[in-house]
């Protein structure tokens, strides 16, 4: 290979076990990099272009000229952050320069977007000197709502941030310093609480005196730690009064009047060891001299100052945090920086001050004491951790982080006087964040409101031992939505509640139906046999089914009035569950057949699909019935249904049996439900685009974009649902069973605990307001 070829590089292929090759492939394909820019407004015609650019753009420009704060209303500035680096201290790579740092900065940008919905431009600058960095970065203020400084070496990073904070009226945040400090401080507060100690009295010994270490200490002092209790070590040993080698104004604050010089001397009696230095610095024998229940924060990466197994062997009572994801208590900056900026941007903060950082610390510490969410639980391969020595810090995948940190930061900004746009309705703001977290929040909100207002309904869960059901049950109880009844073995349920760190208890907070020992067993068998005895089921088989089939047990409970709704389907085939529901609960009066409605929630909004699970090839009458039932269900969500009967034919362009069927179904719908806005048969793109639809059918009875897509058969509906769900990464709510005499829903095995909560809430509303 020539040097020119080497510079260009060859096409790397992914190789199992070779992280570097896989990373190169990941960054290069299917297109280079990790970011793109997307328009947030339509640009489909000349009018759109006139509004987006000339001449329409003049109006917002003049509005901002007259009132600079109007930029938050007319531009993306209030949600735009610059991630800025000069590449002088990149990860564990050191001074690799600004261009080589770009993959890291792009990575930081996508974390902002993923975890907090914040847009980012990564900006790599060729500016090694402080003055040049300050000049370049400060000139960016008109573009951005905030600046995230990244991977700038010490001590320049201190001075750059200090000068920028003094001259800029937007938040400037050096994440390497303050992000680490916030997570460390939260871990220390929790560790000291478990040890029965106070931060005021704690002796803290550090190894490392760089940007992150000093930021940690400064924040701990702001939270109550005493400077005289802090002992700082660097490559030259103890930072002591009178030392002149490798000293600066930031480090000198922690100089001790002491004859000690080495770490082994300072660490005697220490409550906290904070390591941000190098591998192997902390020796096992040093731990023996530390105070009772010491907290070890060995954060050097990838090899910590002491490995957790070594530390635990030397001090079984120690609590240990590292920077690694393969050990408990990972100190990871992604726990805080997206959410601190989220809160700061949303209230128009001029800076991120100490009060805001301390609010973030307390919010993170308090979250670790709550029960872990199902999202966080899935980040662990073993038992779900609960607050304790192995769980001082929440998982980075706990989606409640934004719900706790952003509001706390915004409130602290307002209280400390740095918020331009203080959030007046904090409850509404949290609700807005909740919608971002779960995506289903906005669509589901009317149902949650209705369910909470209704008389509590009993929802029976067939798969009561499943982790998703257990987590959903706790949410339903906490939110006052329903009274769960779980079918399962009490001992298994009890053990799993404890394993997953859930607080609710069987037969105290919720009812358990034990299929192995239920006093109603004989009554259930008699009831079941009276239904299926002439359908080929003998008495002995009936007894076995009632003992072993949880869906049958749940359906019988509803039929007997011992429950109000049934949730099943987390295990087993859809058809089997539907058979049991059909036999025991039956269809609603006047309904010819069951059908299934599925909801996808994407960035486009809510789109309903039917029939996605039940009818293989429905006739025109069944399609009409399904459409009318689906429209009724959609109205429960507070959404006005707009139905499109989709086909390979576009308003008579084809004359196949399938097209004729959809045409006839439309006629029936117009006759039976003239108030329903619906049209068809039509192509799928005509259903979505009003412009396309009007080209072929100017007088269509459907306006705008259809939100209910009705398919001619099960193949088309189920395939479309799966493809659209995967391609758009949409959230699936459902399937919603239509036509049942009483609320009963068969979920898919891939459903999440949040999906279980959503469907249980819907069933409560159906039971409370059947029409």
């Amino acid at each position: 290979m020539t040097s020119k070829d080497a510079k260009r590089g060859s096409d790397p292929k992914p190789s199992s076990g070779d992280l570097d090759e896989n990373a190169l492939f990941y960054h290069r394909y299917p297109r280079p990099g990790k970011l793109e820019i997307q328009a947030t407004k339509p640009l489909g015609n000349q009018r759109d272009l006139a509004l987006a650019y000339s001449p329409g753009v003049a109006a917002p420009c003049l509005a901002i000229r007259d009132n600079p704060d109007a930029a938050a209303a007319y531009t993306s500035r209030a949600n735009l952050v610059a991630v800025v680096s000069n590449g002088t201290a990149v990860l564990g790579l050191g001074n690799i320069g600004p261009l080589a740092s770009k993959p890291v900065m792009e990575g930081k940008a996508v974390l902002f977007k993923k975890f907090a919905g914040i847009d980012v431009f990564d900006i790599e600058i060729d500016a090694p000197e402080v003055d040049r960095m300050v000049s370049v970065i400060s000139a960016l203020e008109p573009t951005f709502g905030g600046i995230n400084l990244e991977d700038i070496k010490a001590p320049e990073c201190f001075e750059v941030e200090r000068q920028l904070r003094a001259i800029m009226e937007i938040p400037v945040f050096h994440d390497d310093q303050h992000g680490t400090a916030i997570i460390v401080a939260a871990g220390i507060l929790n560790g000291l609480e478990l040890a029965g100690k106070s931060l005021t009295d704690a002796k803290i010994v550090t190894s490392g005196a760089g940007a992150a270490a000093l930021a940690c200490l400064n924040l701990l002092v702001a939270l109550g730690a005493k400077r005289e209790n802090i002992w700082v070590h660097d490559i030259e040993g103890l930072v002591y009064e009178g030392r002149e080698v490798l000293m600066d104004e930031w480090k000198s604050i922690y100089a001790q009047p002491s004859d000690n010089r080495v770490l082994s001397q300072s660490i005697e009696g220490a409550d906290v060891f904070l390591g941000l230095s190098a591998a192997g610095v902390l020796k096992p024998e040093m731990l023996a001299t530390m105070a009772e229940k010491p907290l070890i924060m060995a954060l050097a990466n990838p090899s910590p100052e002491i490995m957790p197994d070594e530390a635990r062997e030397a001090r079984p009572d120690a609590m240990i945090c590292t920077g690694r994801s393969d050990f408990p208590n990972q100190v990871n900056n992604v726990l805080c920086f997206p959410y601190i900026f989220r809160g700061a941007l949303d209230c128009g903060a001029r800076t991120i001050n100490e009060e805001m950082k301390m609010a973030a610390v307390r919010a993170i510490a308090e979250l670790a004491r709550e029960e872990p969410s199902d999202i966080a639980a899935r980040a662990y391969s073993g038992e779900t951790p609960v607050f304790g020595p192995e769980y001082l810090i929440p998982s980075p995948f706990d989606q409640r982080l934004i719900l706790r940190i952003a509001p706390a930061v915004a409130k602290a900004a307002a209280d400390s006087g740095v918020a331009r746009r203080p959030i007046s309705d904090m409850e509404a703001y949290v609700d807005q964040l909740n919608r971002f977290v779960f995506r289903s929040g906005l669509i589901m909100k009317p149902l949650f409101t209705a369910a909470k207002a209704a008389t509590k309904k009993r929802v029976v869960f067939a798969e009561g031992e499943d982790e998703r059901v257990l987590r959903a049950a706790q949410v339903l109880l906490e939110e006052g939505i329903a009274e769960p009844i779980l079918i399962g073995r009490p001992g298994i349920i009890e053990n799993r509640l404890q394993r997953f760190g859930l607080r609710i208890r069987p037969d105290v907070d919720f009812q358990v139906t034990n299929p192995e020992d239920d006093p109603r067993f004989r009554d259930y068998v008699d009831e079941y046999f009276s239904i299926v005895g002439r359908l080929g089921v003998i008495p002995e088989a009936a007894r076995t089914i009632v003992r072993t089939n949880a869906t049958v047990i749940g359906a019988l409970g509803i039929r007997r009035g011992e429950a109000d709704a049934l949730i099943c389907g987390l295990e087993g085939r859809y058809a089997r569950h539907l058979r049991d529901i059909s036999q025991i609960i039956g269809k609603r009066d006047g309904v010819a057949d069951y059908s299934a409605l599925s909801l996808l929630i994407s960035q486009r909004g809510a789109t309903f699909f039917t029939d996605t699970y039940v009818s293989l090839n429905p006739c025109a009458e069944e399609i009409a019935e399904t459409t009318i039932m689906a429209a009724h269900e959609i109205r429960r969500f507070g959404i006005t249904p707009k139905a499109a009967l989709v086909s390979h034919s576009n308003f008579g362009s084809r004359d196949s049996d399938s097209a004729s069927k959809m045409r006839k179904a439309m006629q029936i719908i117009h006759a039976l439900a003239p108030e329903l806005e619906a049209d068809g048969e039509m192509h799928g793109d005509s259903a979505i685009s009003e412009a396309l639809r009007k080209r072929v059918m100017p007088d269509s009875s459907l306006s705008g974009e259809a939100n209910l897509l009705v398919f001619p058969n099960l193949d088309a509906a189920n395939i479309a649902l799966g493809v659209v769900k995967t391609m758009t990464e949409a959230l699936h709510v459902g399937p919603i069973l239509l036509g049942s005499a009483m609320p009963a829903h068969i979920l898919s095995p891939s459903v999440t605990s949040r999906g279980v909560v959503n469907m249980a809430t819907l069933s409560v509303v159906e039971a409370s307001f059947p029409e």
Side-chain angles (χ1 to χ4, degrees):
M1 179 185 291
T2 66
S3 59
K4 188 174 183 179
D5 290 331
K7 185 176 290 186
R8 289 177 178 170
S10 58
D11 292 346
K13 304 296 182 184
S15 172
S16 60
D18 191 333
L19 180 61
D20 290 343
E21 287 297 310
N22 280 291
L24 291 172
F25 187 89
Y26 172 87
H27 281 78
R28 185 164 187 173
Y29 297 99
R31 54 187 294 189
K34 299 189 284 280
L35 293 173
E36 67 176 0
I37 295 175
Q38 289 187 341
T40 60
K41 299 294 189 294
L43 296 167
N45 53 47
Q46 187 60 42
R47 177 171 173 76
D48 291 343
L49 294 176
L51 292 172
Y53 196 54
S54 180
V57 75
C61 287
L62 295 175
I64 295 169
R65 179 199 64 185
D66 297 337
N67 176 20
D69 287 344
Y74 296 122
T75 75
S76 61
R77 182 175 186 258
N79 194 52
L80 187 61
V81 166
V83 171
V84 184
S85 180
N86 65 358
T88 54
V90 178
L91 293 174
L93 305 176
N95 187 354
I96 61 174
L99 182 58
S101 75
K102 189 171 181 62
V104 179
M105 303 312 128
E106 284 189 356
K108 193 65 174 273
V110 297
L111 292 179
F112 267 107
K113 187 67 173 179
K114 169 68 176 178
F115 288 100
I118 295 172
D119 296 315
V120 167
F121 291 160
D122 63 291
I123 299 178
E124 296 75 32
I125 58 176
D126 186 6
E129 305 87 1
V130 169
D131 291 346
R132 181 167 170 79
M133 275 190 279
V134 170
S135 175
V136 171
I137 298 169
S138 62
L140 300 173
E141 184 167 351
T143 301
F144 296 99
I147 304 290
N148 182 93
L149 301 176
E150 193 77 15
D151 292 351
I152 300 170
K153 72 181 181 71
E156 287 89 341
C157 60
F158 300 122
E159 187 61 28
V160 168
E161 186 185 41
R162 180 164 64 182
Q163 291 189 30
L164 290 174
R165 285 167 59 92
I167 61 178
M168 298 182 78
E169 284 290 301
I170 58 174
V172 178
F173 187 82
H174 185 207
D175 183 46
D176 297 332
Q177 292 183 59
H178 309 301
T180 302
I182 288 165
I183 309 305
V184 164
I188 288 177
L189 288 183
N190 280 345
L192 291 176
E193 177 174 313
L194 284 174
K197 303 174 183 178
S198 71
L199 182 60
T200 303
D201 300 326
K203 179 179 180 180
I204 302 169
V205 176
T206 74
S207 174
L214 294 176
C216 291
L217 298 177
N218 292 341
L219 185 54
L220 289 170
V221 169
L223 287 163
K226 294 181 178 178
R227 293 183 190 273
E228 57 266 30
N229 291 340
I230 296 173
W231 299 70
V232 178
H233 289 257
D234 61 10
I235 196 171
E236 290 293 323
L238 179 69
V239 174
Y240 60 89
E241 289 184 357
R243 196 182 109 175
E244 297 181 357
V245 179
L246 288 180
M247 292 295 288
D248 54 51
E249 60 181 293
W250 298 280
K251 196 185 301 183
S252 298
I253 295 172
Y254 296 101
Q256 286 279 14
S258 173
D259 294 328
N260 290 347
R261 292 295 182 267
V262 296
L263 184 62
S264 59
Q265 295 173 316
S266 300
I267 206 168
E268 292 183 14
D271 299 291
V272 178
F273 169 81
L274 173 59
L276 285 152
S277 53
V281 168
L282 184 62
K283 307 301 181 185
E285 56 269 22
M286 296 181 188
L287 271 64
T289 67
M290 293 183 71
E292 183 183 1
K293 296 182 180 178
L295 175 59
I296 311 299
M297 308 199 83
L299 306 182
N301 249 337
S303 299
E305 284 79 3
I306 188 170
M307 292 298 290
D309 53 346
E310 282 188 283
R312 197 167 287 107
E313 184 178 351
R315 287 297 298 265
D317 62 335
M319 294 168 280
I320 307 160
C321 303
T322 71
R324 292 172 47 147
S325 60
D326 53 343
F327 293 111
N329 294 324
Q330 183 194 16
V331 174
N332 187 333
N333 289 14
V334 79
L335 278 160
C336 71
F337 72 79
Y339 317 120
I340 289 173
F341 270 98
R342 181 74 279 159
L345 292 172
D346 290 340
C347 70
R350 294 181 174 86
T351 186
I352 295 175
N353 57 25
E354 291 302 303
E355 291 84 354
M356 295 160 73
K357 289 187 281 186
M358 288 191 289
V361 170
R362 295 187 179 101
I364 294 167
E366 290 167 5
L367 179 57
R369 300 167 197 171
E370 298 182 32
E371 293 89 353
S373 70
D374 65 312
I375 300 295
R378 287 202 295 269
Y380 296 89
S381 57
E383 293 189 359
T384 306
V386 295
F387 180 56
E390 297 287 295
Y391 191 67
L392 302 173
I393 303 169
S395 163
F397 297 99
D398 194 324
Q399 292 186 333
R400 296 171 298 178
L401 285 162
I402 192 172
L403 304 177
R404 305 296 187 269
I405 300 174
V409 168
K411 182 179 185 301
D415 293 345
S416 60
V418 299
R420 288 189 184 87
R421 303 183 300 276
I423 295 170
S424 57
D425 189 340
M426 192 60 70
E427 184 177 344
Y429 177 57
V430 172
D431 186 55
Q432 174 187 330
L433 295 173
N434 192 65
R435 293 199 297 269
F436 169 78
V437 170
F438 294 114
R439 289 188 295 173
S440 61
L442 178 61
I443 305 300
M444 293 297 300
K445 187 171 179 57
L447 294 177
F448 280 107
T449 301
K452 290 179 182 180
T455 303
K456 293 298 172 286
K457 297 298 181 182
R458 300 157 299 173
V459 180
V460 59
F461 295 88
E463 294 85 7
E465 298 174 0
D466 191 285
E467 176 186 356
R468 294 164 292 178
V469 169
L470 297 175
R471 293 186 180 282
Q474 176 152 307
V475 173
L476 293 169
L477 286 164
E478 288 179 345
E479 297 293 326
I481 294 170
E483 297 178 3
I485 301 171
L486 273 56
I487 299 174
R489 294 160 292 180
I492 298 296
I493 291 174
E494 179 72 40
N495 289 338
R496 290 182 179 178
L497 287 169
Q498 186 173 359
R499 175 185 174 189
F500 301 136
L502 300 176
R503 185 176 59 255
I504 57 175
R505 292 293 172 260
D507 296 323
V508 176
D509 302 302
F510 61 91
Q511 181 182 335
V512 175
T513 296
N514 181 3
E516 296 179 345
D517 183 19
D518 192 324
R520 300 166 298 181
F521 175 69
R522 291 184 182 277
D523 294 336
Y524 272 43
V525 172
D526 291 344
E527 182 98 17
Y528 183 59
F529 186 71
S530 72
I531 299 167
V532 300
R534 294 183 181 274
L535 298 176
V537 179
I538 63 175
E540 184 63 32
R543 284 191 289 272
T544 301
I545 290 170
V546 172
R547 183 76 77 186
T548 59
N549 188 321
T551 299
V552 167
I553 297 171
L556 287 168
I558 293 180
R559 181 184 173 98
R560 290 163 52 87
E562 296 165 356
D564 302 297
L566 167 66
I567 299 295
C568 61
L570 281 77
E571 298 174 4
R573 296 184 181 277
Y574 190 95
R576 177 177 66 81
H577 293 283
L578 181 60
R579 178 203 63 202
D580 295 333
I581 290 171
S582 178
Q583 288 179 343
I584 299 169
I585 297 176
K587 294 188 286 288
R588 194 165 64 240
D589 290 343
V591 172
D593 199 3
Y594 300 97
S595 56
L597 176 69
S598 289
L599 165 60
L600 290 186
I601 304 170
S602 66
Q603 292 181 347
R604 295 182 59 88
T607 306
F608 294 84
F609 295 68
T610 198
D611 173 7
T612 50
Y613 279 86
V614 179
S615 299
L616 290 173
N617 190 21
C619 65
E621 289 77 11
E622 290 170 334
I623 289 173
E625 179 182 72
T626 292
T627 304
I628 294 169
M629 287 194 297
H632 176 74
E633 198 72 15
I634 291 170
R635 292 188 184 100
R636 295 187 188 277
F637 292 82
I639 297 173
T640 300
K642 295 185 176 186
L645 276 63
V646 294
S647 169
H648 70 285
S649 173
N650 205 26
F651 297 104
S653 65
R654 303 287 292 272
D655 199 24
S656 65
D657 290 343
S658 174
S660 298
K661 177 175 69 172
M662 299 303 278
R663 226 170 286 148
K664 181 180 178 182
M666 192 66 255
Q667 294 170 357
I668 298 171
I669 291 168
H670 281 320
L672 296 178
E675 78 287 352
L676 174 59
E677 188 174 337
D679 208 348
E681 83 288 8
M682 69 179 74
H683 286 169
D685 53 2
S686 294
I688 301 300
S689 170
E690 185 176 35
L692 289 176
R693 185 166 60 251
K694 284 188 173 181
R695 288 181 191 173
V696 294
M697 187 54 60
D699 62 347
S700 172
S701 55
L702 179 65
S703 64
E705 180 176 324
N707 55 25
L708 171 58
L709 302 181
V710 182
F711 293 84
N713 56 51
L714 183 61
D715 279 348
N718 193 271
I719 291 168
L721 175 70
V723 170
V724 174
K725 175 185 174 183
T726 303
M727 291 182 66
T728 63
E729 298 183 346
L731 176 68
H732 181 208
V733 177
I736 302 165
L737 183 63
L738 304 177
S740 176
M742 287 174 277
H745 296 291
I746 307 163
L747 309 187
S748 64
S750 62
V751 70
T752 65
S753 69
R754 188 67 187 182
V756 177
V757 170
N758 287 340
M759 291 304 298
T761 302
L762 174 60
S763 72
V764 167
V765 175
E766 290 173 335
S768 303
F769 312 100
E771 297 299 331

